[in-house]
Amino acid sequence: MSEVFKSIKDVEIHDVKWIDARLSLQESDAGRKNFEEGHIKGALYWDLEDDLSDMTKNTGRHPLPDKQTLTELFRKSGLELDDRILIYDDGGSPFAARAWWILQYGGFKNSFIISEGFRALTEMGVPISGKAEVPNRSSVDPVWDETIFAPREFIEQTVEGKTGNVLLDARSAERYRGEVEPIDPIAGHIPGALNFDWERLKKDGSFNLDADVGQQLSQVVQHDDEVVVYCGSGVTAAPLFAMLKQNGYNNVKLYVGSYSDWISREVIEVEKG
């Protein structure tokens, strides 16, 4: 098993770099305001849309920034490949996992998600600050891990049965079946995909690190399966990706464009039910 999530009970806070990824989808600037009011001392703030997405692209609702842009993010954040990096949001949210996946993609393999979130960290007595620090710029060269990235073309090949991968949809069962669709213009799922609602990964507002989550995952996908996870816009699929890795799934990719990218092309094929 790969350790991806860390409980605050097991966190060593010395010689680490912190990333604050808090966000509210209902109030876009709430995360940054919360950061300015108080954050883990020394933490940097990474915003979902400003830092972890390129909203000028048309490849889904939260497209991945290009490598040059991500490299600049890593460098201005003062990161080095061997840094120990801890990422938090409000707990049980997908935003720290999105930041973590991008770090993994860039080769920062010593990075982890705090499963409980910011409030629990403060209750444990981790020092907080209202002052935003400017780190020393690094000259890091990312080592891109293409094995965890699935482009649109790979998904097309998977639907055609050419890759042997299993598609796993992280949205709710109702959205997966096409019974409701509150965001995207077309309801349904990518043909052939299975479903595991990412909300099932949580327990009492935190990510559930107990063995029963692994047991539930194994009822849908097997450990030797090659899995591609997706959701609506590539955000809530990130914690599903992370939990699969946490539970010993070695061959997992993320389709960042996800369903919103899949249905954006002229030729669209979806399934319902």
Side-chain angles (χ1 to χ4, degrees):
M1 293 177 66
S2 301
E3 187 177 29
V4 174
F5 293 91
K6 280 189 175 292
S7 170
I8 55 174
K9 301 187 299 293
D10 306 317
V11 167
E12 173 58 58
I13 65 171
H14 301 290
D15 298 320
V16 303
K17 293 184 177 178
W18 294 92
I19 292 175
D20 185 320
R22 286 178 290 171
L23 186 81
S24 169
L25 291 176
Q26 289 72 40
E27 186 180 351
S28 60
D29 60 348
R32 190 175 296 278
K33 287 180 179 178
N34 290 337
F35 175 82
E36 292 170 352
E37 291 172 0
H39 53 265
I40 300 304
K41 186 177 181 180
L44 303 174
Y45 183 70
W46 282 7
D47 181 78
L48 173 63
E49 296 191 349
D50 293 342
D51 300 306
L52 306 179
S53 308
D54 183 347
M55 304 304 290
T56 67
K57 293 182 177 179
N58 60 359
T59 51
R61 281 185 277 109
H62 288 103
L64 185 68
D66 60 33
K67 290 178 179 177
Q68 181 177 356
T69 301
L70 289 176
T71 298
E72 174 60 21
L73 174 65
F74 302 149
R75 289 179 177 177
K76 73 179 184 180
S77 299
L79 301 182
E80 302 288 354
L81 286 176
D82 59 352
D83 283 340
R84 187 164 176 267
I85 305 169
L86 300 180
I87 314 141
Y88 64 89
D89 51 26
D90 285 312
S93 299
F95 312 115
R98 167 76 166 213
W100 171 84
W101 184 90
I102 286 177
L103 285 166
Q104 295 291 304
Y105 182 51
F108 298 86
K109 299 302 183 181
N110 199 21
S111 54
F112 306 92
I113 303 164
I114 300 298
S115 61
E116 299 94 343
F118 176 70
R119 178 176 293 181
L121 284 168
T122 62
E123 291 173 350
M124 287 288 290
V126 179
I128 64 172
S129 171
K131 179 182 177 181
E133 299 184 18
V134 180
N136 293 325
R137 183 180 176 86
S138 76
S139 56
V140 68
D141 290 318
V143 179
W144 304 104
D145 185 356
E146 300 294 347
T147 67
I148 67 172
F149 174 73
R152 162 80 184 214
E153 295 73 22
F154 187 86
I155 306 304
E156 293 172 347
Q157 294 169 3
T158 300
V159 170
E160 294 169 2
K162 296 179 179 179
T163 71
N165 278 243
V166 178
L167 289 168
L168 188 59
D169 189 319
R171 298 174 300 165
S172 69
E174 293 79 9
R175 289 185 70 190
Y176 166 80
R177 292 193 297 264
E179 297 168 2
V180 297
E181 183 45 67
I183 303 173
D184 292 308
I186 300 172
H189 59 264
I190 299 175
L194 304 176
N195 178 232
F196 192 99
D197 185 351
W198 81 280
E199 295 278 1
R200 294 171 62 190
L201 305 174
K202 299 188 290 184
K203 180 181 179 180
D204 300 327
S206 300
F207 284 105
N208 184 3
L209 306 184
D210 297 336
D212 59 327
V213 171
Q215 294 169 0
Q216 292 176 48
L217 288 167
S218 67
Q219 294 173 3
V220 182
V221 287
Q222 303 303 308
H223 279 85
D224 57 355
D225 286 338
E226 296 180 350
V227 183
V228 182
V229 296
Y230 76 91
C231 55
S233 70
V235 178
T236 59
L240 180 55
F241 176 101
M243 193 64 78
L244 285 165
K245 299 295 285 187
Q246 175 87 11
N247 283 277
Y249 290 78
N250 295 319
N251 299 307
V252 189
K253 300 179 187 292
L254 175 64
Y255 175 27
V256 180
S258 282
Y259 188 71
S260 56
D261 176 57
W262 180 257
I263 62 172
S264 68
R265 310 300 171 90
E266 291 183 5
V267 179
I268 300 169
E269 183 182 358
V270 301
E271 287 182 348
K272 294 184 178 181

